Amino acid sequence: HRHATMSSSPAREAMLKKQGAYGKIKTHSESKISQMLHVDEVAYALYYKASGGLTSKLSVSSDDVKFCDDKLGAVSRSFAAVIRQLPEKCCLDVLIFYLVLRALDTVEDDMEAFGKDH
């Protein structure tokens, strides 16, 4: 076991099991004032807020599509915005593919839920 020589605590064990960069990478290296000095980004953010956000290209044609769109918004606001901006012909396909991948990732992250007793 590659972590056998490290000190062991429940929090450390949980961190070692967790995949990805959650909490490991600082998201902003600049101060808030420094970020505000990016005038072009601030202008786009203000325009985005004032215009009411992005318009979805997803055609919600049934209760099933509405359900998938609602779930997309619940699991990822940032990817939801990007997926909803895709060309209409591939928007629904990518949305469903993304939800399937998220479901598989959830199963992979919690394999103990699918132990021998289940």
Side-chain angles (χ1 to χ4, degrees):
H1 189 252
R2 68 183 180 144
H3 302 294
T5 60
M6 296 181 179
S7 63
S8 182
S9 72
R12 179 142 181 83
E13 291 299 319
M15 183 194 76
L16 293 174
K17 286 182 182 180
K18 186 75 173 164
Q19 295 179 351
Y22 302 111
K24 298 176 189 173
I25 298 174
K26 191 173 180 180
T27 56
H28 296 286
S29 60
E30 299 182 52
S31 69
K32 294 206 185 287
I33 292 175
S34 176
Q35 291 176 36
M36 296 299 288
L37 293 176
H38 294 271
V39 178
D40 57 335
E41 293 177 14
V42 172
Y44 284 124
L46 292 173
Y47 173 77
Y48 171 77
K49 286 298 253 182
S51 68
L54 301 172
T55 304
S56 177
K57 295 180 182 177
L58 178 66
S59 176
V60 179
S61 56
S62 70
D63 289 341
D64 293 335
V65 174
K66 180 168 179 9
F67 175 82
C68 289
D69 188 45
D70 291 344
K71 290 301 169 191
L72 176 68
V75 298
S76 176
R77 290 185 310 247
S78 57
F79 280 116
V82 172
I83 291 170
R84 290 173 181 144
Q85 295 304 301
L86 293 171
E88 190 174 350
K89 289 184 178 186
C90 70
C91 191
L92 181 59
D93 295 336
V94 173
L95 184 156
I96 292 170
F97 186 65
Y98 177 78
L99 290 176
V100 168
L101 291 178
R102 282 296 301 258
L104 290 172
D105 186 53
T106 300
V107 169
E108 180 189 28
D109 287 348
D110 192 13
M111 287 304 292
E112 291 178 12
F114 302 96
K116 293 178 184 176
D117 297 338
H118 292 79

